[in-house]
Amino acid sequence: MALRSTFSLFPSGVAAISAVVDGEQDPDGRVRREAVVLVASSFQVGISLDPPLVLFAVQHTSTSWPRLRAALEREGALLGVSVLGEAHDAAARQLASKAADRFAGIETTTTASGAHFVHGAPVWLECSIHSQVPAGDHDVVLLQVHAMGGAPDTEPLVWHSSGFRTLTPRPAAQAQG
């Protein structure tokens, strides 16, 4: 896996892409709403300013992306993109897991459009799907940005060498221990 090891040396931001969508019916026949998320280390900004576009790549084996895409098409929901911050290390692992409730204990906000955000993110974007293009064993998804916000004093979480890193240097004693 030399290619994977080499690719892992390119640092990238980490984004939680999420929406609240229709889930299964409860015993009374009501449709439950649930948050669905995928975590992407392939997220990129600055793809286009007019229209404002960002992108990410998603594996064909993803089980979350088909649910998110269907909800956007069926329900007209928007996606919430939370670029995760250095305080989200454990949250990123949990959100990327196969846990039944990936958002357990994680503070979030949902907009009227269904976009779902993780609190404390240095960047948040409310997006719709612009287009999707096959690319090998992934699809490249272009998202159009409809609303945005940021916390410039919040440090980002970075994916590098198959692990989460921060841009803030760790004190020497902590780095050794």
Side-chain angles (χ1 to χ4, degrees), residues 121-140:
V123 175
W124 65 266
L125 306 166
E126 195 167 13
C127 303
S128 62
I129 298 172
H130 180 272
S131 58
Q132 184 171 325
V133 180
D137 58 0
H138 283 65
D139 283 339
V140 173

Side-chain angles (χ1 to χ4, degrees), residues 13-21 34-44 55-70 72 79-84 91-99 102-103 116-118 129 132 138-141 143 164:
V14 182
I17 301 165
S18 182
V20 173
V21 303
E34 61 187 0
V36 176
V37 65
L38 69 86
V39 175
S41 62
S42 59
F43 182 75
Q44 297 290 311
L55 70 73
F56 70 98
V58 60
Q59 291 181 345
H60 291 160
T61 57
S62 171
T63 55
S64 299
W65 178 241
R67 292 189 65 207
L68 288 168
R69 183 175 177 94
L72 271 63
L79 288 172
V81 177
S82 302
V83 176
L84 300 179
R93 293 177 197 288
Q94 181 177 322
L95 293 170
S97 75
K98 300 292 183 193
R102 295 182 189 180
F103 286 100
H116 193 240
F117 299 101
V118 176
I129 298 172
Q132 184 171 325
H138 283 65
D139 283 339
V140 173
V141 182
L143 300 175
F164 294 114

